[in-house]
């Protein structure tokens, strides 16, 4: 994990207790969307590389 990622996690951990339930839900949804988009992008790149090789 990069130093930037560690700093982001530390900042979130510090701010999370002060967040409202609505803010936490929004953050959770944003993270889930980003993770899904990242997985989809990785899958597309894998499929593209397999097509080039095969």
């Amino acid at each position: 994990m990069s130093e930037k990622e560690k700093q982001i996690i530390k900042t979130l951990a510090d701010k999370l207790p002060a967040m409202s339930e609505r803010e936490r839900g929004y953050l959770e949804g944003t993270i889930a969307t980003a993770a899904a988009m990242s997985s989809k992008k990785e899958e597309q790149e894998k499929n593209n590389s397999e097509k080039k090789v095969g």
Side-chain angles (χ1 to χ4, degrees):
M1 189 179 313
S2 72
E3 286 301 315
K4 184 175 182 178
E5 291 169 327
K6 289 178 184 177
Q7 184 61 38
I8 290 169
I9 291 172
K10 183 182 181 319
T11 302
L12 282 172
D14 291 343
K15 303 283 183 183
L16 196 62
M19 288 183 179
S20 69
E21 194 65 32
R22 181 171 188 240
E23 291 169 326
R24 289 181 192 166
Y26 180 82
L27 179 61
E28 182 180 349
T30 301
I31 292 169
T33 300
M37 290 174 64
S38 177
S39 294
K40 185 175 181 180
K41 183 178 178 183
E42 288 175 4
E43 186 176 315
Q44 286 175 342
E45 289 174 353
K46 179 182 175 188
N47 289 339
N48 288 339
S49 67
E50 287 176 355
K51 287 178 183 177
K52 290 179 184 177
V53 173

